[in-house]
Amino acid sequence: MIDVWIIWLILIILLLNTISALITVFHRPRNIVTTWAWILVLILLPIVGFLIYAFFGRGIAQEKIFSISNQKHVGLDQLKLMEIADTTKRRLIENQNNNNDPATRSDQTHYADHIIKFFNETEEAPLTRHNKVDLFFDGKEKFEKMFEDVRNAKETVHVEYYAFIKSDIGDEFLKLLTQKAKEGLEVRLIYDPWGSNGTRKSWFKDFEAAGGEVLQFITSKNVIAKTRLNYHLHRKIVVIDGCIGWTGGFNVGDQYVNVTEKFGYWRDTHVRIKGVATLLLQERFFQDWNASIEKSEEALVFDEKYFPSDKFDDTDNSPIQIVSDGPDRREEVLKDGFIDMIVSAKKSVWIQSPYLVPDDPMFTALTIAARSGVDVRIMIPCMPDHPFIYRATQYYANLLTSYGIKIYSYQKGFLHAKASVFDGKICTVGSMNQDFRSYSLNFEANAFIYDSKVAHKISRAFENDMKDSLLITPEVIKSQGHWLHFKQRFSRLLSPIL
């Protein structure tokens, strides 16, 4: 009799678990792949599956989505921003008409006209001209130059990072920001608590006392939200005096400057922009700041000191679009833009990403390009920072190899760069990884640069990294062993929710 009751109890628990799983999964729209992945987890792992869901699956409250998406033009004179872009465009065309030597032109906007229109019409990301671009591949060099820019700031310093970690480099950065606040500058900082593991509000006490302002991103406003792995601020943006901007893959922490031994050499890519595109980075900061404040009267509003129009050199000419994306949008703008560029490429597609977990549309685009004779190369790290994601990355690396795509495993340390080059003509640097989370679950920002000279520099960096990389071949895949292949396949099943 007792055994029968135990069986009935187990059946009732399983039934209730199944009903709860279906209600949980279907209470908001998801794509089919993600829906089935969550059903699998919640039903096959009773109770435990719901704990996993608490970290990976919960959505954003509607009021937070509204607060984020409603910042599109709040406090900003977007027309003025567009006027600056249009004016510089006309002046650029006039300069080109007076220059009969095509070899001196770096403008690739005619080649990329379709993607420029896509981003502008979908994300309202205007093409900006008159930008000077400097690339940084080493953390120490990046922070040295960025700290110099901050020290030379005259009016405003705006900082936004996924990971702003209490560390030696973090202490140095915060001390510098505190000093600028003491000098009377407007200094503001947004960070994401999940990415900034170990960072406490008390760390910013001296900074705030000096007049600096600090906010946690809106999706981390309470303890429960902080435990959610997805829907976090993944952008890395610094804007100085409205005329110098930084964005890319580096966060603020000791591992990014090669102080820690766990990952070895940290290989990343960051871009310094001096020019009109900085205004778009400033606009992105304004939107994220205004979405995260407690009181609407504290919102930042348009001011010439934030959006100067007279600090840009006419001789600099790297056309740039700043494109941001996040789960507050229905469209996956950055991913769709990548797919457009991949299927439009004629000769080559080179991608660096620490995670390679493409969804079906991205996977199809990559394989179509490779089968069309395009030289598709993807570089990934040789070690994990997240075990499940890394095993899923290995699975897709092996699978894409079978389609003729060259996959390189960076051996010198940890590859964290998010940089891509298309046909050696246009390139992008930013925070977007090649995985489900970057496509639709976190808030990202990328700079798309339509300048063959800049693209060439990133291509050269890729080629140098190839010297420190292992090409994945059928022999390498076979040597991985059955147990490793099982872990790869299992992780791949969970890839839509990783």
Side-chain angles (χ1 to χ4, degrees):
M1 180 66 71
I2 296 178
D3 292 342
V4 174
W5 279 107
I6 292 176
I7 292 174
W8 274 105
L9 180 62
I10 293 174
L11 289 175
I12 291 172
I13 291 174
L14 291 176
L15 177 61
L16 292 174
N17 185 84
T18 300
I19 294 173
S20 300
L22 294 175
I23 293 174
T24 299
V25 170
F26 289 115
H27 85 282
R28 68 184 183 88
R30 288 184 170 90
N31 65 54
I32 296 298
V33 174
T34 303
T35 298
W36 279 110
W38 276 121
I39 290 175
L40 180 70
V41 169
L42 294 174
I43 291 179
L44 296 184
L45 299 174
I47 301 176
V48 174
F50 286 92
L51 294 176
I52 296 174
Y53 184 86
F55 283 93
F56 290 87
R58 288 179 293 122
I60 309 175
Q62 288 301 310
E63 65 272 15
K64 287 185 171 60
I65 292 179
F66 175 79
S67 183
I68 296 167
S69 60
N70 195 44
Q71 301 305 321
K72 189 62 183 178
H73 298 295
V74 173
L76 299 177
D77 190 339
Q78 181 69 10
L79 289 177
K80 181 178 179 63
L81 201 62
M82 293 294 294
E83 286 172 3
I84 295 172
D86 289 342
T87 299
T88 54
K89 180 178 181 179
R90 289 193 297 269
R91 291 158 70 186
L92 177 59
I93 292 174
E94 292 171 358
N95 291 339
Q96 287 181 330
N97 290 337
N98 293 328
N99 184 358
N100 296 320
D101 182 7
T104 64
R105 302 175 189 171
S106 62
D107 184 29
Q108 301 296 330
T109 56
H110 177 70
Y111 164 84
D113 183 63
H114 60 289
I115 189 63
I116 293 171
K117 289 181 179 178
F118 171 79
F119 283 140
N120 192 32
E121 293 181 8
T122 307
E123 175 57 19
E124 297 182 72
L127 177 69
T128 66
R129 315 263 182 158
H130 293 286
N131 298 292
K132 183 178 185 299
V133 174
D134 294 301
L135 296 167
F136 291 83
F137 307 107
D138 177 83
K140 291 182 179 179
E141 294 177 359
K142 175 254 182 177
F143 280 104
E144 181 179 345
K145 180 60 178 177
M146 192 175 73
F147 287 176
E148 178 185 338
D149 286 341
V150 174
R151 280 191 290 269
N152 292 332
K154 304 300 182 183
E155 291 187 289
T156 63
V157 179
H158 291 155
V159 178
E160 178 174 346
Y161 276 101
Y162 168 66
F164 197 96
I165 300 170
K166 180 171 172 50
S167 55
D168 289 344
I169 191 68
D171 286 338
E172 184 179 354
F173 196 1
L174 188 59
K175 183 178 180 181
L176 177 57
L177 294 176
T178 302
Q179 178 58 41
K180 299 307 291 186
K182 288 180 179 179
E183 294 174 10
L185 277 70
E186 295 182 25
V187 185
R188 299 180 178 92
L189 167 66
I190 309 174
Y191 72 100
D192 189 281
W194 177 270
S196 307
N197 186 31
T199 297
R200 301 290 181 267
K201 288 185 178 181
S202 58
W203 186 40
F204 302 102
K205 182 179 179 181
D206 292 342
F207 172 66
E208 292 182 300
E213 299 179 71
V214 59
L215 289 178
Q216 294 180 351
F217 189 58
I218 187 173
T219 55
S220 300
K221 284 296 186 180
N222 56 64
V223 174
I224 295 177
K226 291 177 184 177
T227 65
R228 181 180 53 207
L229 184 59
N230 299 321
Y231 307 110
H232 288 295
L233 176 73
H234 197 239
R235 300 191 254 263
K236 296 90 173 159
I237 295 173
V238 174
V239 182
I240 299 156
D241 288 338
C243 61
I244 297 176
W246 291 80
T247 193
F250 283 105
N251 286 295
V252 180
D254 287 344
Q255 65 266 42
Y256 302 97
V257 290
N258 307 311
V259 175
T260 59
E261 297 181 1
K262 179 180 179 181
F263 296 108
Y265 182 75
W266 191 279
R267 169 65 179 85
D268 219 323
T269 303
H270 224 78
V271 60
R272 177 184 185 267
I273 302 170
K274 186 174 183 181
V276 180
T278 303
L279 303 181
L280 298 180
L281 290 173
Q282 185 81 294
E283 182 187 43
R284 180 70 263 169
F285 178 89
F286 268 45
Q287 293 168 20
D288 292 340
W289 181 272
N290 288 345
S292 302
I293 58 175
E294 298 291 342
K295 301 177 181 178
S296 59
E297 58 268 24
E298 297 174 350
L300 296 173
V301 296
F302 183 90
D303 191 290
E304 187 71 25
K305 66 182 176 183
Y306 302 129
F307 297 90
S309 59
D310 57 352
K311 295 184 179 181
F312 308 118
D313 191 341
D314 291 350
T315 62
D316 297 327
N317 180 23
S318 288
I320 297 175
Q321 283 178 295
I322 302 296
V323 182
S324 56
D325 198 3
D328 58 314
R329 299 186 58 88
R330 182 173 61 182
E331 305 89 354
E332 296 175 344
V333 179
L334 281 172
K335 185 198 76 174
D336 292 344
F338 263 82
I339 290 174
D340 188 328
M341 289 188 288
I342 290 169
V343 298
S344 300
K346 305 299 182 184
K347 296 180 179 180
S348 62
V349 173
W350 291 7
I351 297 172
Q352 288 182 315
S353 175
Y355 315 123
L356 180 60
V357 190
D359 63 3
D360 288 344
M362 182 65 75
F363 182 88
T364 301
L366 290 168
T367 55
I368 287 175
R371 287 182 289 162
S372 301
V374 175
D375 176 19
V376 182
R377 306 184 189 187
I378 303 175
M379 189 173 293
I380 60 175
C382 68
M383 64 181 77
D385 63 340
H386 299 291
F388 275 108
I389 300 177
Y390 184 68
R391 296 309 173 200
T393 292
Q394 287 183 314
Y395 172 87
Y396 281 104
N398 295 346
L399 183 59
L400 289 169
T401 296
S402 69
Y403 282 86
I405 295 175
K406 296 178 181 178
I407 307 292
Y408 295 88
S409 175
Y410 184 72
Q411 303 289 306
K412 187 177 178 180
F414 188 77
L415 178 77
H416 192 252
K418 306 98 163 44
S420 303
V421 184
F422 304 89
D423 284 342
K425 295 182 177 180
I426 61 177
C427 58
T428 180
V429 177
S431 65
M432 177 188 171
N433 298 311
Q434 294 300 327
D435 65 355
F436 282 80
R437 197 180 304 168
S438 278
Y439 296 158
S440 60
L441 299 177
N442 282 343
F443 296 86
E444 310 284 358
N446 270 52
F448 288 83
I449 307 168
Y450 307 99
D451 187 333
S452 58
K453 293 180 180 178
V454 179
H456 179 68
K457 291 178 181 178
I458 294 180
S459 297
R460 288 292 301 274
F462 192 107
E463 291 171 341
N464 289 333
D465 292 333
M466 285 171 53
K467 300 174 184 177
D468 295 311
S469 299
L470 172 69
L471 177 64
I472 305 299
T473 63
E475 291 74 23
V476 171
I477 296 172
K478 186 179 296 185
S479 69
Q480 292 174 350
H482 296 297
W483 173 238
L484 180 55
H485 284 167
F486 170 79
K487 290 190 289 184
Q488 292 169 358
R489 292 187 180 96
F490 179 75
S491 296
R492 182 251 177 173
L493 290 176
L494 301 179
S495 60
I497 62 175
L498 289 176

